[in-house]
Amino acid sequence: MPSTFDYQLPFPPNQVWNTLPAAVQRTKKASGAGNPVPGGGYRYSFSTGMSWRTWGFTVFVDLYSLPQGTQIRVSPSMNLGLVDWGEGRDIANELHLHLTNLLQAQSGHGQGPRPGW
C-alpha cells in the first residue's frame, strides 16, 4: 500500500494547481511535468525515472480546499519492488519544497531586502 504525505499551504487551490507543473519539473527525479488526472477535481500525476537504484514511482497529488489555504496529499507508489526505503517520502518532501518556494516567490513572501535598499 502506498504511503501518503500531507502538507498545508496558505495559498488558494487554483494558485497551487497552476504552480504544480513548474514544481514537478523542478523535482529532480520527475520525468516530465506530469498531467492532470481526467475526471475533474484537483488530481495530478507524474512519474519518476528508472535507474540502477530504482524502478521509479508513479506519484499522485491531490489538492483539497481549506479555509486557510490548501491541503496537499502526495501519494508516491513504486512501479516495481517491495520496499520504498524512504525514496517516496523524499520525492514528496522535495515536491512540497519546490511548490512552497514557487508560491512564496509569486506572492513576494520569504524574500529578503534587495541589495542597495
Side-chain angles (χ1 to χ4, degrees), residues 40-103:
Y42 290 115
R43 188 155 219 225
Y44 199 84
S45 73
F46 68 95
S47 297
T48 65
M50 293 180 9
S51 72
W52 65 273
R53 293 180 51 188
T54 181
W55 288 105
F57 283 76
T58 299
V59 182
F60 288 96
V61 182
D62 295 289
L63 306 182
Y64 305 99
S65 182
L66 297 173
Q68 65 276 19
T70 304
Q71 176 182 337
I72 302 163
R73 174 165 290 158
V74 182
S75 305
S77 177
M78 291 190 312
N79 293 333
L80 292 173
L82 299 173
V83 181
D84 179 332
W85 301 110
E87 187 178 1
R89 179 192 65 237
D90 293 345
I91 293 166
N93 286 338
E94 184 181 359
L95 175 64
H96 175 248
L97 175 68
H98 291 304
L99 193 53
T100 300
N101 290 341
L102 288 167
L103 289 164

